Amino acid sequence: MLAIRSKLVNKLGAINIAKKAFFSSEIDHLSANGGFNFELTEDQKEYQQLSRKFAVEEIIPRAAHYDKTGEYPWDLIKKAFDLGLMNTHIPQKYGGLGLSNFDGCLITEELAYGCTGVSTAIEANSLGQAPVILAGNDEQKKKYLSRMVEPGQEKPLMSAYCVTEPVAGSDVAGIKTRAEKKGDEYILNGQKMWITNGGYANWYFVLARTNPDPKCPASKAFTGFIVEADSKGVIKGRKEWNMGQRASDTRGITFEDVRVPKENVLGAEGAGFKIAMGAFDLTRPPVAAGAVGLARRAFEEAKKYAVERKTMGKLIAEHQAVAFLLAEMAIGIESARLCYQKAAWQIDRGERNTYLASIAKALGGDVANKCATDAVQIFGGNGFNTEYPVEKLMRDAKIYQIYEGTAQIQRLIISRELLSAK
C-alpha cells in the first residue's frame, strides 16, 4: 500500500502520447503538456483501476448494510485511507500525495459508482480541507493538514465544512453565526446545519460574521476559522436520517461561546466569504464526478437487466422504448464526464474555473437523477423494490441537485458569468 502511494507521488503527471503517433509525423511537434488529448497517464489508469477495484470488491457488498443502518462506514474509510484514496489533494510538503483535481475526480467517480454515501463521507474531507489549502498559512497547513495523513491511525481523521445554517443555505450572506474578537481570541456563537462528517470531524472550517454592520457587504463581513471539534462549547446534534446517502454523517453543529485563537483565522478578518466560495471551485468538479459515478452505475445496472429480462417474446433491450432510454443515459454520462474533467483540468492549470465548475455540477446532478429514474423505469416494479439496487441509486441521486450549491444556484452562477464576461 505504501508502495502504491509512493509510486503515485514519484510518477504523477507523466504523459506519453508518442504511442498514438503512428498515423501522423506531425504529432512529434506536440509537447507532453500541449495539444488536445484524452489519454490518461499510466499512473492515472493505475489508481483509477485501484479505486474501481475497491468500489466493486469492498464498497458495493457493504453499501446496502450502511444504507439500512445509517452506520458510519469506518471500515471502508480506513481501507480507503490505507490505499491512498482519500485526502488526495493535501500537498506533498505536508505529507500528502498532492494529486491534481483531475486525478481526484477520477478516484471519486469510481468510489461513487460503489456508493455515493461512502464516497461523500470520504470526499467531504476534501471540502473541509479546501479552505486551508487555499488560504492557510504554513503553520496552519502543518498543523491541520499534516495530521490528516499521519500513518498508523486507528481511525482516519476527518474534517468538515461548516457554512450552511438552518435559515441560510443558498443565501450564504444570510449567515447568523457570529464571532466577536476579544483580545487574542474570537468568541464564536451560532448554529450550523447539514454538516457532512459533523459528528466525526477532528476540526471544522467555520464561516462566521465578524462585522456586525448589516450594511457591510458579504465580501467583507465574514471570516473563516479553523475550529477544533473538541473545543469547549461545540455541541454536536443528532445524525439526520436522510432520504439517501445514509452512510454519510450529516447533522447540526452548535457553537456556544467557543473560544478560537486568532492564529486560527484563515487569510484575514473579512476574507472568509471569498475563501468559502473559492473552495467550491475546487470541490464542485469532484462532486460532479461523483454524480457521474452514480449515473454510470444506474446505466450499467439497467443495461444488465435489459439484456436479461424478456417481455413479449424478446429482451426488453430490443424494444426501442428501452433502448432509447439506455442511449439517453449514455449521452448524459459521456457529456457530464467531459464537463467535470474540463473544469478540473482548468483549475489544475491555475485558471479560474467558476463557470465550468458550475456547469459540471449542474449537468452532473441532472444526469445522475435522470439516469437513476430511468433505471428504475427499466426495472419496472422490481425497480421500486429494495431487493434491487436501483431504488437506492434514485434516493442517493437527489442530493446532487441540492448540496454544494443547488441546481438553481448553479444556473444563477452560470448566467452571471455569461453576462459579466468581457
Side-chain angles (χ1 to χ4, degrees), residues 10-24:
N10 293 334
K11 297 179 67 179
L12 180 65
I15 299 175
N16 178 13
I17 61 174
K19 63 184 179 181
K20 299 297 183 182
F22 66 93
F23 62 89
S24 173

Side-chain angles (χ1 to χ4, degrees), residues 30-47:
L30 296 177
S31 70
N33 293 318
F36 196 60
N37 192 348
F38 290 106
E39 183 71 22
L40 298 180
T41 68
E42 291 304 315
D43 295 298
Q44 288 171 333
K45 291 176 184 177
E46 185 173 324
Y47 47 76

Side-chain angles (χ1 to χ4, degrees), residues 178-366:
R178 295 180 179 274
E180 181 182 357
K181 190 173 184 181
K182 290 189 175 181
D184 291 336
E185 296 178 318
Y186 287 82
I187 308 302
L188 186 65
N189 283 282
Q191 184 180 5
K192 300 296 182 178
M193 191 59 192
W194 311 117
I195 306 305
T196 306
N197 284 348
Y200 299 98
N202 177 261
W203 54 267
Y204 306 111
F205 165 75
V206 181
L207 188 65
R209 177 177 282 274
T210 47
N211 189 322
D213 184 357
K215 295 181 180 180
C216 181
S219 60
K220 298 179 180 180
F222 300 98
T223 300
F225 298 91
I226 305 170
V227 180
E228 298 276 4
D230 60 0
S231 299
K232 183 179 179 180
V234 174
I235 303 170
K236 301 174 183 179
R238 64 175 176 83
K239 173 185 167 67
E240 298 294 330
W241 189 255
N242 292 328
M243 173 182 175
Q245 297 199 5
R246 292 171 179 165
S248 170
D249 179 75
T250 309
R251 63 184 74 205
I253 306 293
T254 301
F255 302 93
E256 291 186 355
D257 293 329
V258 177
R259 295 181 176 274
V260 183
K262 66 178 183 180
E263 291 77 19
N264 281 30
V265 170
L266 276 174
E269 185 173 309
F273 186 84
K274 182 179 180 180
I275 294 169
M277 295 303 100
F280 287 138
D281 289 346
L282 288 172
T283 60
R284 279 174 179 154
V287 169
V292 171
L294 185 150
R296 199 181 92 223
R297 174 75 182 283
F299 167 74
E300 292 185 8
E301 294 286 356
K303 180 183 174 184
K304 179 182 177 182
Y305 186 82
V307 297
E308 295 174 351
R309 169 79 165 162
K310 287 186 176 181
T311 64
M312 304 173 194
K314 59 182 178 181
L315 297 172
I316 64 171
E318 296 174 341
H319 295 291
Q320 188 181 74
V322 172
F324 277 18
L325 286 177
L326 292 171
E328 290 289 341
M329 289 185 191
I331 292 169
I333 291 166
E334 295 293 343
S335 301
R337 181 181 291 116
L338 288 174
C339 280
Y340 88 63
Q341 289 183 345
K342 188 174 182 181
W345 166 84
Q346 190 174 38
I347 200 165
D348 285 339
R349 285 166 55 90
E351 300 174 5
R352 185 171 177 269
N353 74 335
T354 303
Y355 173 70
L356 285 176
S358 286
I359 289 178
K361 168 66 168 59
L363 181 61
D366 290 350

